[in-house]
Amino acid sequence: MMGLVELERVVVKRDRLLVEVSVARGAQRYTTPEIAARACAIRPQLPHHACVNDRGPTFGSVMARTSIPHLLEHIVIDLQTERSARPDAVFTGTTRWTDEAHGHARVEVSFESDLAALRALRDALALVNGLAG
């Protein structure tokens, strides 16, 4: 069974993951207020993340109508932040459509540990796929 978001490719760089994802054909490519509310119920820090966007200084400014891959990015960051041994750990990321018409996007996220980042990516994919279903 195919999920809402599928991994196409993961490249581990020295300081970040480059993740190519695809949103399933015919599936919604953007969050809704309902998906955002479910995400916040599970990951309450999401709306407080810093986020460069056209609406405001936080992810909460756009999370009710942003791309599903952008939501994935912030959940990966949130999981890494929660699991880091460093209380001052800061993770960054970017998301952009590479082919929006076909649901392809690139997500980049920084990390302290590549293995921790890959675990966070796995868990974030499961969470995102559960939110929309």
Side-chain angles (χ1 to χ4, degrees):
M1 181 173 108
M2 185 171 171
L4 172 65
V5 178
E6 292 288 323
L7 281 180
E8 296 293 327
R9 182 172 175 233
V10 177
V11 177
V12 179
K13 296 285 198 173
R14 182 183 56 78
D15 61 344
R16 68 189 181 284
L17 295 181
L18 304 179
V19 183
E20 302 286 340
V21 298
S22 62
V23 179
R25 183 185 314 219
Q28 64 191 62
R29 295 199 169 106
Y30 288 85
T31 60
T32 63
E34 294 78 21
I35 289 172
R38 288 195 296 264
C40 287
I42 298 167
R43 308 293 319 161
Q45 291 303 312
L46 285 176
H48 307 292
H49 286 198
C51 181
V52 176
N53 64 71
D54 296 337
R55 293 218 161 131
T58 65
F59 185 57
S61 304
V62 295
M63 72 181 294
R65 178 81 176 131
T66 194
S67 72
I68 295 291
H70 189 209
L71 175 62
L72 176 69
E73 170 203 329
H74 279 272
I75 293 173
V76 171
I77 289 169
D78 200 58
L79 288 167
Q80 288 190 94
T81 301
E82 176 183 83
R83 296 170 180 174
S84 176
R86 291 183 34 221
D88 62 341
V90 174
F91 300 95
T92 61
T94 62
T95 298
R96 68 178 178 82
W97 288 112
T98 55
D99 183 350
E100 186 175 1
H102 291 98
H104 300 288
R106 172 180 264 185
V107 176
E108 295 187 33
V109 290
S110 65
F111 60 73
E112 293 175 330
S113 157
D114 56 351
L115 294 178
L118 290 166
R119 277 191 297 276
L121 175 60
R122 178 200 61 203
D123 295 346
L125 275 168
L127 196 152
V128 167
N129 284 330
L131 287 173

